[in-house]
Amino acid sequence: MTIYSVFDPEFAEFGKVLTGYDTTELIAAMNAVEMPAEGVAYEPWIDSLEATGIFKELGDNAFGGMPIELGMCWGYNKALNCLEYHRNSEINIGATDFVLLLAKQEKIIDGKLNTADVVAFKAPAGAVVEVYATSLHYAPCMVEDGGFRVAVVLPRNTNTDLDKVAEKDPEDKMLWARNKWLIAHPDASEASQGAYVGLVGENISI
């Protein structure tokens, strides 16, 4: 598949690149976190990352004063597996280059999304990439054998455990964690864990 850049015009409907932030201190803190032996790790917030100066700047500026969390998704991944969305934008900052596999929320028809509607975008290390609320996304894909490290900035408590709620709307079956709606591919491990299966087509691999 074609891999666009987050600086290409094709990215405009999915998100934008924010400017004016110095990510040097954050990247150093990210690189100090040990890589997992295999697979992908994720923590909604990491104290050493939140101790960096950019944490307050992102809360004050990018999230307009909202309480935020600064965590990381890191490890080894080349596959789509799932797509998720939140009620708000997510900001990603890579200590490495990485690829995002994205789709638009309006492409979900009757609870299904065809993976042919997924578009790939490469982001360089250090770029502050905003992914809009209506852009479905999941774990980044690595572009080098050493894996990837991507900071994830969201409103506080996003992606934390949530008690099962009574379904009011068909969308509720996708609710997987706090402020996290998830659609899994049948081949994904999340499907065997009870996640809503709604991705049809190829489980894309970069």
Side-chain angles (χ1 to χ4, degrees), residues 14-204:
F14 295 93
K16 63 182 178 181
V17 179
L18 306 182
T19 61
Y21 294 95
D22 184 349
T23 59
T24 306
E25 182 188 16
L26 173 62
I27 288 173
M30 293 165 66
N31 283 329
V33 178
E34 186 177 356
M35 290 290 285
E38 59 183 9
V40 175
Y42 171 74
E43 292 291 342
W45 56 83
I46 298 175
D47 290 346
S48 59
L49 273 56
E50 294 193 346
T52 62
I54 198 173
F55 176 61
K56 184 176 188 303
E57 295 172 352
L58 290 168
D60 289 346
N61 293 74
F63 282 86
M66 290 288 289
I68 62 168
E69 61 192 34
L70 173 49
M72 188 162 66
C73 185
W74 74 111
Y76 310 91
N77 179 56
K78 293 183 177 180
L80 176 65
N81 291 321
C82 298
L83 286 169
E84 69 176 5
Y85 60 93
H86 315 291
R87 288 291 189 244
N88 47 267
S89 289
E90 173 176 313
I91 289 176
N92 294 150
I93 304 167
T96 58
D97 295 354
F98 62 97
V99 170
L100 290 172
L101 297 174
L102 306 177
K104 298 302 294 180
Q105 190 173 348
E106 59 264 29
K107 295 294 186 178
I108 304 172
I109 307 295
D110 295 329
K112 303 293 183 183
L113 186 144
N114 195 312
T115 61
D117 291 320
V118 172
V119 186
F121 295 94
K122 183 178 179 181
V128 181
V129 181
E130 177 182 355
V131 177
Y132 295 148
T134 52
S135 297
L136 285 78
H137 56 279
Y138 203 51
C141 294
M142 62 191 192
V143 297
E144 54 190 43
D145 291 340
F148 70 91
R149 285 184 171 93
V150 176
V152 179
V153 191
L154 286 160
R156 200 72 181 181
N157 293 320
T158 296
N159 288 334
T160 57
D161 291 342
L162 179 68
D163 291 336
K164 184 70 174 177
V165 297
E167 291 185 13
K168 302 289 186 181
D169 183 270
E171 181 190 45
D172 295 342
K173 64 173 65 74
M174 305 175 193
L175 189 57
W176 185 243
R178 186 170 279 110
N179 191 25
K180 178 192 184 87
W181 287 262
L182 182 74
I183 305 176
H185 191 276
D187 295 344
S189 61
E190 289 85 348
S192 62
Q193 297 166 21
Y196 173 76
V197 176
L199 295 183
V200 297
E202 177 189 359
N203 186 19
I204 296 168

